[in-house]
Amino acid sequence: QGVQQPYEISVVSAIEEAKGITLSVSAYPNPTSDYLILEVTDFSLSPLTFYLYDMNGKLLQTQKITNNLTSIVMSNLVPATYFVKVIQEKNEVKTFKIVKR
């Protein structure tokens, strides 16, 4: 009866210790259906940008992060796996693997 879909939440890459960067980024809920929240803590509002990619590496959305909480609309995307990459100036801070239901 019914089908169970396993899912995996993973951080693909991250800077463990970088001088001068005190930054924590998290993404939730994962898996998501309508929207994704990027939560950024402990940072000095230096230029942060997120990039949303599909599994083929096609850039779907990019936006500057201006608040501690940033909402990414995912309701218009088909159910699949996506990557959200957070960049600080030219340094990659974190890449999240996001499952869209």
Side-chain angles (χ1 to χ4, degrees):
Q1 292 277 346
V3 178
Q4 292 185 358
Q5 296 283 335
Y7 63 89
E8 175 183 333
I9 300 172
S10 62
V11 173
V12 179
S13 66
I15 297 173
E16 291 300 323
E17 283 190 39
K19 292 184 179 182
I21 297 177
T22 55
L23 177 64
S24 173
V25 182
S26 57
Y28 58 86
N30 192 10
T32 186
S33 55
D34 295 326
Y35 63 92
L36 182 74
I37 301 292
L38 276 182
E39 183 175 358
V40 181
T41 55
D42 302 327
F43 77 108
S44 60
L45 283 176
S46 56
L48 289 176
T49 307
F50 78 80
Y51 298 87
L52 176 65
Y53 297 95
D54 66 9
M55 283 296 289
N56 298 322
K58 179 182 176 189
L59 180 63
L60 302 175
Q61 183 180 353
T62 182
Q63 180 180 325
K64 290 206 179 293
I65 298 173
T66 56
N67 296 320
N68 287 6
L69 296 176
T70 302
S71 179
I72 303 172
V73 177
M74 306 221 20
S75 57
N76 58 338
L77 301 174
V78 297
T81 301
Y82 298 91
F83 292 99
V84 175
K85 186 180 287 191
V86 178
I87 304 289
Q88 183 178 41
E89 294 174 349
K90 293 185 180 184
N91 299 321
E92 180 179 324
V93 176
K94 223 174 216 186
T95 299
F96 296 97
K97 182 178 178 182
I98 306 297
V99 177
K100 163 76 166 68
R101 287 189 264 161

XYZ file of all heavy atoms in Angstrom:
800
model
N 0.827 -1.172 0.000
C 0.000 0.000 0.000
C 0.877 1.243 0.000
O 1.653 1.451 0.908
C -0.893 0.013 1.240
C -1.959 -1.057 1.277
C -3.191 -0.641 0.492
O -3.354 0.511 0.145
N -4.037 -1.594 0.170
N 0.776 2.057 -1.032
C 1.508 3.321 -1.099
C 2.952 3.138 -1.501
O 3.466 2.032 -1.584
N 3.583 4.242 -1.755
C 4.979 4.254 -2.172
C 5.749 5.151 -1.218
O 5.312 6.261 -0.916
C 5.120 4.797 -3.616
C 6.575 4.860 -4.029
C 4.339 3.931 -4.583
N 6.868 4.670 -0.749
C 7.701 5.495 0.114
C 8.853 6.061 -0.698
O 9.483 5.341 -1.455
C 8.246 4.685 1.278
C 7.169 4.260 2.249
C 7.745 3.566 3.459
O 8.938 3.376 3.560
N 6.877 3.185 4.379
N 9.101 7.358 -0.550
C 10.170 8.032 -1.271
C 11.271 8.400 -0.274
O 11.057 9.285 0.544
C 9.641 9.305 -1.941
C 8.605 9.066 -3.002
C 9.220 8.571 -4.280
O 10.380 8.815 -4.563
N 8.451 7.842 -5.066
N 12.407 7.730 -0.333
C 13.494 8.151 0.558
C 14.095 9.464 0.056
O 14.064 9.760 -1.133
C 14.507 7.017 0.439
C 14.269 6.461 -0.919
C 12.785 6.620 -1.178
N 14.588 10.266 0.964
C 15.251 11.498 0.567
C 16.492 11.700 1.413
O 16.631 11.138 2.482
C 14.329 12.714 0.657
C 13.836 13.023 2.039
C 14.567 13.860 2.877
C 12.650 12.492 2.512
C 14.126 14.150 4.149
C 12.200 12.779 3.788
C 12.946 13.613 4.599
O 12.509 13.903 5.844
N 17.377 12.490 0.885
C 18.661 12.714 1.523
C 18.892 14.209 1.647
O 18.696 14.953 0.697
C 19.747 12.097 0.641
C 21.136 12.351 1.100
C 22.159 11.770 0.135
O 21.840 10.789 -0.552
O 23.257 12.315 0.068
N 19.250 14.638 2.850
C 19.606 16.030 3.079
C 21.113 16.051 3.295
O 21.628 15.367 4.167
C 18.894 16.601 4.321
C 17.383 16.535 4.140
C 19.359 18.013 4.600
C 16.601 16.899 5.367
N 21.799 16.816 2.469
C 23.244 16.843 2.616
C 23.786 18.213 2.256
O 23.217 18.926 1.447
C 23.898 15.784 1.727
O 23.621 16.050 0.375
N 24.876 18.544 2.903
C 25.628 19.735 2.546
C 26.724 19.261 1.612
O 27.537 18.411 1.980
C 26.222 20.424 3.793
C 27.133 21.560 3.388
C 25.112 20.918 4.696
N 26.725 19.763 0.395
C 27.654 19.277 -0.608
C 29.057 19.814 -0.349
O 30.034 19.080 -0.409
C 27.160 19.653 -2.026
C 28.130 19.170 -3.069
C 25.784 19.056 -2.262
N 29.163 21.088 -0.047
C 30.474 21.651 0.259
C 30.304 22.826 1.203
O 29.256 23.439 1.260
C 31.187 22.109 -1.013
O 30.488 23.195 -1.573
N 31.365 23.120 1.931
C 31.318 24.248 2.856
C 32.734 24.658 3.205
O 33.660 23.862 3.144
C 30.559 23.871 4.120
N 32.886 25.920 3.567
C 34.166 26.393 4.062
C 34.194 26.104 5.556
O 33.361 26.625 6.298
C 34.328 27.918 3.815
C 34.316 28.203 2.323
C 35.592 28.439 4.471
C 34.308 29.685 2.004
N 35.093 25.270 5.995
C 35.143 24.924 7.409
C 35.726 26.062 8.227
O 35.131 26.526 9.167
C 35.969 23.639 7.618
C 35.286 22.408 7.070
C 33.931 22.137 7.698
O 33.766 22.378 8.910
O 33.032 21.709 6.982
N 36.921 26.499 7.867
C 37.535 27.604 8.580
C 38.152 28.560 7.587
O 39.125 28.238 6.941
C 38.632 27.084 9.529
C 38.095 26.451 10.785
C 39.187 26.187 11.792
O 40.090 27.023 11.936
O 39.133 25.136 12.422
N 37.546 29.708 7.453
C 38.089 30.732 6.578
C 38.305 31.975 7.431
O 37.438 32.362 8.199
C 37.124 31.021 5.433
N 39.440 32.591 7.281
C 39.762 33.752 8.107
C 38.816 34.897 7.819
O 38.565 35.240 6.679
C 41.205 34.185 7.858
C 42.208 33.188 8.367
C 43.616 33.684 8.206
C 44.576 32.659 8.762
N 45.949 33.095 8.692
N 38.277 35.486 8.875
C 37.433 36.651 8.741
C 35.990 36.358 8.400
O 35.182 37.252 8.322
N 35.644 35.098 8.205
C 34.268 34.766 7.879
C 33.647 34.067 9.089
O 34.043 32.971 9.446
C 34.167 33.846 6.639
C 34.711 34.559 5.413
C 32.732 33.415 6.399
C 34.711 33.711 4.156
N 32.716 34.731 9.738
C 31.935 34.102 10.797
C 30.513 34.055 10.283
O 29.765 35.009 10.414
C 32.016 34.904 12.111
O 31.614 36.237 11.846
C 33.421 34.899 12.668
N 30.173 32.949 9.681
C 28.955 32.866 8.901
C 28.360 31.477 9.050
O 29.071 30.491 8.985
C 29.311 33.146 7.437
C 28.243 33.067 6.394
C 27.184 34.119 6.624
C 28.864 33.274 5.028
N 27.064 31.434 9.265
C 26.355 30.163 9.319
C 25.158 30.266 8.386
O 24.370 31.201 8.491
C 25.900 29.889 10.755
O 25.078 28.756 10.792
N 25.027 29.302 7.474
C 23.928 29.303 6.511
C 23.202 27.971 6.621
O 23.826 26.920 6.637
C 24.438 29.488 5.061
C 23.276 29.543 4.088
C 25.293 30.723 4.940
N 21.875 28.033 6.720
C 21.085 26.810 6.718
C 19.902 26.983 5.775
O 19.471 28.100 5.504
C 20.604 26.465 8.137
O 19.862 27.535 8.680
N 19.411 25.851 5.261
C 18.280 25.862 4.317
C 17.219 24.892 4.827
O 17.543 23.760 5.195
C 18.753 25.448 2.930
N 15.973 25.337 4.885
C 14.883 24.483 5.351
C 13.576 24.979 4.769
O 13.513 26.124 4.322
C 14.835 24.463 6.889
C 14.662 25.827 7.520
C 13.397 26.388 7.718
C 15.768 26.589 7.899
C 13.238 27.642 8.285
C 15.634 27.836 8.462
C 14.355 28.349 8.658
O 14.211 29.600 9.220
N 12.483 24.235 4.720
C 12.429 22.789 4.951
C 13.022 22.033 3.764
O 12.996 22.532 2.645
C 10.924 22.517 5.058
C 10.283 23.575 4.208
C 11.184 24.784 4.337
N 13.563 20.901 4.022
C 14.160 20.082 2.966
C 13.813 18.633 3.263
O 14.281 18.109 4.268
C 15.667 20.282 2.922
C 16.300 19.687 1.692
O 15.622 19.273 0.774
N 17.607 19.626 1.685
N 12.999 17.959 2.477
C 12.483 18.376 1.176
C 11.420 19.469 1.310
O 10.814 19.627 2.356
C 11.887 17.107 0.596
C 11.585 16.250 1.768
C 12.574 16.615 2.821
N 11.237 20.197 0.228
C 10.289 21.312 0.211
C 9.271 21.119 -0.898
O 9.472 20.291 -1.784
C 11.033 22.648 0.032
O 10.101 23.708 0.158
C 11.729 22.732 -1.316
N 8.195 21.891 -0.839
C 7.218 21.822 -1.920
C 6.908 23.206 -2.482
O 6.761 23.364 -3.679
C 5.928 21.146 -1.442
O 5.425 21.813 -0.306
N 6.827 24.226 -1.628
C 6.441 25.553 -2.102
C 7.583 26.572 -2.046
O 7.761 27.355 -2.958
C 5.270 26.097 -1.282
C 4.019 25.260 -1.479
O 3.827 24.742 -2.588
O 3.255 25.111 -0.511
N 8.304 26.584 -0.951
C 9.365 27.577 -0.786
C 10.469 27.018 0.097
O 10.285 26.040 0.817
C 8.809 28.879 -0.184
C 8.237 28.684 1.201
C 9.033 28.862 2.324
C 6.923 28.309 1.385
C 8.520 28.652 3.594
C 6.403 28.105 2.646
C 7.211 28.284 3.748
O 6.708 28.066 5.000
N 11.615 27.651 0.011
C 12.786 27.272 0.793
C 13.261 28.524 1.520
O 13.275 29.606 0.945
C 13.882 26.759 -0.155
C 15.162 26.275 0.503
C 14.929 24.928 1.164
C 16.256 26.147 -0.535
N 13.632 28.373 2.766
C 14.145 29.495 3.552
C 15.654 29.329 3.713
O 16.121 28.275 4.145
C 13.498 29.546 4.955
C 11.979 29.689 4.867
C 14.110 30.676 5.783
C 11.506 31.004 4.327
N 16.396 30.359 3.327
C 17.831 30.418 3.612
C 17.998 31.282 4.850
O 17.595 32.439 4.851
C 18.594 31.065 2.459
C 18.996 30.192 1.293
C 19.778 31.025 0.283
C 19.798 29.009 1.715
N 18.578 30.719 5.887
C 18.807 31.469 7.117
C 20.303 31.696 7.278
O 21.090 30.753 7.279
C 18.262 30.713 8.324
C 18.423 31.484 9.609
C 17.775 30.798 10.796
O 17.163 29.719 10.625
O 17.891 31.342 11.902
N 20.683 32.965 7.388
C 22.089 33.347 7.513
C 22.263 34.006 8.877
O 21.542 34.939 9.217
C 22.499 34.327 6.395
C 23.956 34.695 6.509
C 22.202 33.730 5.032
N 23.219 33.501 9.652
C 23.494 34.077 10.966
C 24.977 34.388 11.093
O 25.814 33.818 10.386
C 23.085 33.116 12.093
O 23.737 31.867 11.900
C 21.587 32.897 12.115
N 25.295 35.274 11.987
C 26.678 35.629 12.313
C 27.455 36.133 11.109
O 28.524 35.628 10.801
C 27.427 34.438 12.946
C 26.751 33.947 14.199
O 26.171 34.785 14.906
O 26.807 32.744 14.463
N 26.920 37.104 10.414
C 27.672 37.681 9.315
C 27.501 39.191 9.330
O 26.544 39.720 9.879
C 27.253 37.098 7.961
C 25.969 37.638 7.415
C 25.964 38.494 6.325
C 24.757 37.294 7.979
C 24.778 38.981 5.823
C 23.568 37.777 7.473
C 23.582 38.630 6.394
N 28.427 39.881 8.722
C 28.457 41.341 8.792
C 27.887 41.973 7.521
O 28.420 42.952 7.033
C 29.891 41.803 9.016
O 30.693 41.351 7.945
N 26.820 41.389 6.985
C 26.153 41.900 5.785
C 27.101 42.163 4.621
O 26.908 43.070 3.840
C 25.357 43.172 6.107
C 24.037 42.942 6.827
C 23.376 44.273 7.171
C 23.088 42.099 6.018
N 28.153 41.363 4.548
C 29.009 41.445 3.368
C 28.221 40.862 2.203
O 27.252 40.147 2.408
C 30.301 40.673 3.610
O 30.007 39.350 3.956
N 28.597 41.190 0.985
C 27.757 40.784 -0.149
C 27.614 39.263 -0.261
O 28.582 38.567 -0.509
C 28.469 41.372 -1.361
C 29.794 41.837 -0.893
C 29.765 41.920 0.596
N 26.394 38.786 -0.057
C 26.072 37.372 -0.208
C 25.049 37.239 -1.330
O 24.146 38.056 -1.452
C 25.458 36.795 1.068
C 26.364 36.603 2.264
C 25.548 36.124 3.455
C 27.447 35.608 1.962
N 25.194 36.184 -2.124
C 24.285 35.913 -3.232
C 24.005 34.421 -3.253
O 24.899 33.622 -2.983
C 24.921 36.337 -4.573
O 25.349 37.691 -4.471
C 23.947 36.215 -5.722
N 22.752 34.046 -3.560
C 22.487 32.621 -3.772
C 22.198 32.373 -5.245
O 21.720 33.237 -5.962
C 21.342 32.108 -2.887
C 19.959 32.449 -3.367
C 19.348 31.713 -4.377
C 19.256 33.490 -2.803
C 18.077 32.037 -4.817
C 17.982 33.817 -3.238
C 17.399 33.083 -4.250
N 22.553 31.173 -5.668
C 22.321 30.713 -7.034
C 21.574 29.394 -6.945
O 21.994 28.498 -6.222
C 23.642 30.505 -7.784
C 24.442 31.771 -7.938
C 25.329 32.187 -6.951
C 24.314 32.556 -9.069
C 26.063 33.346 -7.083
C 25.048 33.727 -9.213
C 25.917 34.114 -8.216
O 26.641 35.273 -8.357
N 20.478 29.265 -7.676
C 19.687 28.039 -7.703
C 19.919 27.346 -9.045
O 19.691 27.939 -10.099
C 18.196 28.372 -7.522
C 17.209 27.214 -7.613
C 17.421 26.227 -6.472
C 15.781 27.733 -7.613
N 20.400 26.094 -8.984
C 20.711 25.316 -10.179
C 19.865 24.053 -10.215
O 19.521 23.498 -9.162
C 22.184 24.867 -10.178
C 23.179 25.986 -10.226
C 23.739 26.501 -9.055
C 23.601 26.521 -11.436
C 24.676 27.522 -9.099
C 24.539 27.535 -11.490
C 25.068 28.027 -10.319
O 25.990 29.039 -10.367
N 19.587 23.563 -11.426
C 18.982 22.244 -11.534
C 20.090 21.193 -11.592
O 21.282 21.517 -11.509
C 18.030 22.160 -12.739
C 18.732 22.281 -14.084
O 19.979 22.270 -14.138
O 18.020 22.393 -15.107
N 19.712 19.927 -11.724
C 20.695 18.825 -11.716
C 21.651 18.888 -12.905
O 22.743 18.339 -12.854
C 19.979 17.467 -11.720
C 19.407 17.087 -10.377
S 20.663 16.841 -9.116
C 21.400 15.326 -9.654
N 21.257 19.551 -13.986
C 22.110 19.667 -15.165
C 23.058 20.849 -15.085
O 23.826 21.094 -16.009
C 21.252 19.786 -16.431
C 20.403 18.550 -16.651
O 20.851 17.432 -16.407
N 19.174 18.742 -17.084
N 22.992 21.603 -13.992
C 23.870 22.756 -13.834
C 23.323 24.027 -14.456
O 24.019 25.034 -14.534
N 22.062 24.010 -14.881
C 21.447 25.200 -15.477
C 21.045 26.166 -14.358
O 20.364 25.788 -13.413
C 20.223 24.802 -16.292
C 19.508 25.974 -16.925
C 18.265 25.524 -17.673
C 17.521 26.721 -18.204
N 16.213 26.347 -18.738
N 21.469 27.417 -14.484
C 21.138 28.443 -13.500
C 19.671 28.829 -13.657
O 19.245 29.273 -14.712
C 22.038 29.665 -13.673
C 21.799 30.823 -12.709
C 22.067 30.396 -11.271
C 22.685 31.998 -13.072
N 18.884 28.666 -12.580
C 17.451 28.967 -12.620
C 17.117 30.302 -11.967
O 16.185 30.979 -12.381
C 16.665 27.858 -11.907
C 16.844 26.445 -12.460
C 16.120 25.448 -11.592
C 16.359 26.372 -13.893
N 17.871 30.666 -10.928
C 17.565 31.895 -10.209
C 18.811 32.364 -9.466
O 19.605 31.560 -8.992
C 16.436 31.628 -9.205
C 15.968 32.851 -8.447
C 14.839 32.508 -7.473
O 14.317 31.406 -7.456
N 14.475 33.473 -6.661
N 18.972 33.670 -9.369
C 20.040 34.256 -8.568
C 19.478 35.497 -7.887
O 18.627 36.184 -8.450
C 21.279 34.596 -9.424
O 22.282 35.118 -8.577
C 20.962 35.591 -10.513
N 19.942 35.724 -6.663
C 19.425 36.860 -5.911
C 20.407 37.217 -4.802
O 21.007 36.340 -4.197
C 18.066 36.501 -5.303
C 17.422 37.603 -4.489
C 16.084 37.153 -3.927
O 15.346 36.401 -4.546
N 15.784 37.607 -2.732
N 20.543 38.501 -4.539
C 21.362 38.952 -3.424
C 20.627 38.663 -2.120
O 19.411 38.781 -2.043
C 21.660 40.441 -3.526
C 22.598 40.781 -4.657
C 23.343 42.066 -4.363
C 24.293 42.406 -5.485
N 25.375 41.503 -5.647
N 21.377 38.260 -1.101
C 20.816 37.999 0.219
C 20.980 39.274 1.029
O 22.101 39.720 1.281
C 21.533 36.814 0.885
C 21.343 35.542 0.047
C 21.035 36.621 2.314
C 22.141 34.358 0.517
N 19.856 39.875 1.419
C 19.906 41.157 2.130
C 19.426 41.058 3.571
O 19.630 41.979 4.343
C 19.054 42.210 1.393
O 17.730 41.706 1.264
C 19.635 42.516 0.019
N 18.771 39.959 3.937
C 18.262 39.772 5.290
C 18.765 38.456 5.869
O 19.324 37.632 5.148
C 16.723 39.752 5.295
C 16.147 41.072 4.856
O 16.646 42.123 5.223
N 15.096 41.008 4.059
N 18.513 38.258 7.156
C 18.876 36.984 7.786
C 18.046 35.837 7.231
O 18.505 34.700 7.199
C 18.713 37.060 9.295
C 19.805 37.890 9.943
O 20.618 38.507 9.260
N 19.825 37.916 11.252
N 16.798 36.119 6.830
C 15.937 35.093 6.248
C 15.595 35.481 4.814
O 15.092 36.570 4.563
C 14.643 34.947 7.055
C 14.782 34.454 8.489
C 13.431 34.454 9.179
C 15.399 33.078 8.531
N 15.877 34.581 3.887
C 15.572 34.799 2.477
C 14.696 33.652 2.003
O 15.037 32.487 2.197
C 16.862 34.853 1.634
O 17.692 35.895 2.136
C 16.553 35.105 0.171
N 13.567 33.973 1.380
C 12.642 32.958 0.888
C 12.876 32.744 -0.606
O 12.933 33.698 -1.375
C 11.209 33.416 1.144
O 10.309 32.458 0.662
N 13.008 31.487 -1.000
C 13.169 31.117 -2.402
C 11.906 30.384 -2.820
O 11.582 29.336 -2.271
C 14.394 30.210 -2.609
C 15.668 30.882 -2.088
C 14.540 29.818 -4.074
C 16.875 29.964 -2.079
N 11.180 30.943 -3.791
C 9.942 30.315 -4.273
C 10.309 29.113 -5.132
O 11.067 29.227 -6.088
C 9.090 31.319 -5.069
C 7.850 30.636 -5.632
C 8.715 32.501 -4.198
N 9.758 27.935 -4.772
C 10.040 26.711 -5.519
C 8.764 26.073 -6.057
O 8.819 25.024 -6.679
C 10.794 25.717 -4.626
C 12.022 26.332 -4.025
S 13.545 25.423 -3.907
C 13.610 24.118 -4.979
N 7.613 26.716 -5.823
C 6.335 26.133 -6.248
C 6.218 26.040 -7.766
O 5.480 25.206 -8.282
C 5.168 26.945 -5.675
O 5.263 28.291 -6.079
N 6.959 26.880 -8.494
C 6.895 26.862 -9.957
C 7.845 25.839 -10.579
O 7.877 25.701 -11.795
C 7.200 28.252 -10.509
C 8.567 28.761 -10.074
O 9.120 28.301 -9.077
N 9.109 29.705 -10.811
N 8.610 25.125 -9.758
C 9.578 24.145 -10.266
C 9.007 22.733 -10.205
O 8.196 22.417 -9.332
C 10.866 24.210 -9.438
C 11.575 25.564 -9.407
C 12.746 25.530 -8.448
C 12.041 25.953 -10.797
N 9.441 21.893 -11.127
C 8.989 20.500 -11.138
C 9.686 19.744 -10.005
O 10.790 20.101 -9.594
C 9.281 19.825 -12.501
C 8.521 20.507 -13.608
C 10.760 19.784 -12.808
N 9.046 18.677 -9.484
C 9.691 17.878 -8.445
C 10.994 17.273 -8.960
O 11.003 16.575 -9.971
C 8.659 16.795 -8.133
C 7.344 17.406 -8.527
C 7.668 18.269 -9.730
N 12.085 17.584 -8.295
C 13.411 17.104 -8.693
C 14.398 17.484 -7.596
O 14.012 17.981 -6.541
C 13.828 17.726 -10.024
N 15.669 17.289 -7.870
C 16.726 17.693 -6.960
C 17.393 18.941 -7.520
O 17.674 19.020 -8.711
C 17.767 16.566 -6.803
O 17.098 15.402 -6.301
C 18.863 16.961 -5.836
N 17.645 19.905 -6.651
C 18.241 21.179 -7.035
C 19.426 21.476 -6.120
O 19.569 20.873 -5.066
C 17.212 22.317 -6.930
C 16.042 22.131 -7.864
C 14.908 21.451 -7.453
C 16.086 22.618 -9.161
C 13.835 21.261 -8.316
C 15.024 22.437 -10.026
C 13.903 21.749 -9.599
O 12.859 21.552 -10.456
N 20.246 22.404 -6.548
C 21.374 22.854 -5.737
C 21.252 24.349 -5.505
O 20.982 25.110 -6.426
C 22.707 22.556 -6.431
C 23.002 21.089 -6.528
C 22.759 20.393 -7.691
C 23.524 20.407 -5.434
C 23.007 19.042 -7.779
C 23.782 19.044 -5.513
C 23.524 18.362 -6.683
N 21.441 24.768 -4.258
C 21.474 26.182 -3.899
C 22.885 26.474 -3.416
O 23.354 25.886 -2.444
C 20.447 26.530 -2.796
C 20.610 27.977 -2.363
C 19.031 26.288 -3.295
N 23.557 27.367 -4.130
C 24.936 27.729 -3.808
C 24.939 29.139 -3.232
O 24.354 30.049 -3.808
C 25.789 27.665 -5.065
C 27.270 27.892 -4.833
C 28.060 27.804 -6.121
C 28.157 26.371 -6.574
N 29.122 26.188 -7.665
N 25.587 29.316 -2.070
C 25.699 30.630 -1.437
C 27.137 31.110 -1.612
O 28.087 30.406 -1.267
C 25.326 30.564 0.061
C 25.491 31.927 0.709
C 23.895 30.071 0.229
N 27.279 32.307 -2.192
C 28.587 32.884 -2.513
C 28.774 34.170 -1.715
O 27.861 34.986 -1.639
C 28.681 33.205 -4.022
C 28.393 31.972 -4.873
C 30.025 33.825 -4.384
C 29.457 30.923 -4.860
N 29.960 34.331 -1.134
C 30.321 35.590 -0.476
C 31.465 36.188 -1.276
O 32.564 35.634 -1.299
C 30.746 35.345 0.969
C 31.069 36.630 1.711
C 31.434 36.354 3.164
O 32.135 35.399 3.449
N 30.960 37.192 4.060
N 31.185 37.314 -1.938
C 32.098 37.932 -2.900
C 32.474 36.878 -3.926
O 31.643 36.495 -4.712
C 33.289 38.574 -2.190
C 32.854 39.755 -1.344
C 33.963 40.349 -0.496
O 35.041 39.742 -0.378
O 33.731 41.431 0.048
N 33.688 36.339 -3.914
C 34.039 35.297 -4.892
C 34.265 33.945 -4.232
O 34.691 33.000 -4.890
C 35.287 35.716 -5.673
C 35.030 36.919 -6.551
C 36.214 37.243 -7.407
C 35.904 38.452 -8.275
N 36.968 38.764 -9.198
N 33.973 33.844 -2.931
C 34.178 32.595 -2.201
C 32.867 31.834 -2.049
O 31.865 32.399 -1.643
C 34.742 32.881 -0.796
C 36.074 33.584 -0.858
O 36.906 33.279 -1.701
N 36.273 34.535 0.026
N 32.907 30.535 -2.352
C 31.734 29.702 -2.143
C 31.628 29.397 -0.654
O 32.558 28.884 -0.055
C 31.865 28.403 -2.936
C 30.678 27.492 -2.773
C 30.822 26.228 -3.594
O 31.376 26.292 -4.701
O 30.377 25.180 -3.109
N 30.503 29.754 -0.055
C 30.306 29.536 1.375
C 29.724 28.154 1.620
O 30.239 27.388 2.429
C 29.388 30.629 1.967
C 29.106 30.357 3.431
C 30.022 31.998 1.798
N 28.639 27.823 0.928
C 27.984 26.537 1.124
C 27.148 26.198 -0.094
O 26.610 27.084 -0.747
C 27.072 26.616 2.343
C 27.121 25.437 3.265
C 26.300 25.695 4.504
C 26.967 25.067 5.703
N 26.170 25.151 6.904
N 27.022 24.903 -0.366
C 26.128 24.429 -1.407
C 25.188 23.401 -0.797
O 25.646 22.467 -0.144
C 26.908 23.782 -2.578
O 27.772 24.785 -3.137
C 25.957 23.281 -3.659
N 23.891 23.605 -0.974
C 22.886 22.716 -0.431
C 22.252 21.893 -1.546
O 22.009 22.407 -2.634
C 21.746 23.505 0.239
C 22.181 24.300 1.426
C 22.484 25.658 1.293
C 22.296 23.727 2.668
C 22.875 26.392 2.382
C 22.682 24.454 3.760
C 22.974 25.795 3.631
N 22.012 20.630 -1.243
C 21.262 19.760 -2.146
C 19.819 19.792 -1.653
O 19.524 19.384 -0.522
C 21.831 18.337 -2.084
C 21.173 17.348 -3.001
C 21.874 16.023 -2.854
C 21.239 14.958 -3.700
N 21.910 13.658 -3.497
N 18.900 20.284 -2.485
C 17.510 20.492 -2.093
C 16.613 19.551 -2.895
O 16.751 19.451 -4.110
C 17.073 21.956 -2.365
C 18.028 22.945 -1.689
C 15.636 22.176 -1.939
C 18.073 22.858 -0.192
N 15.707 18.879 -2.204
C 14.746 17.985 -2.857
C 13.404 18.697 -2.909
O 12.879 19.124 -1.884
C 14.623 16.653 -2.088
C 13.572 15.767 -2.731
C 15.964 15.946 -2.027
N 12.888 18.842 -4.132
C 11.568 19.458 -4.348
C 10.555 18.351 -4.532
O 10.715 17.486 -5.380
C 11.618 20.368 -5.585
C 10.281 20.763 -6.190
C 9.574 21.813 -5.389
C 8.435 22.467 -6.128
N 7.285 21.691 -6.424
N 9.503 18.358 -3.699
C 8.447 17.330 -3.803
C 7.387 17.756 -4.788
O 7.099 18.888 -4.984
C 7.774 17.112 -2.447
C 8.662 16.377 -1.502
C 7.924 15.989 -0.272
N 8.199 17.028 0.734
C 7.478 17.239 1.798
N 6.421 16.531 2.009
N 7.776 18.156 2.656
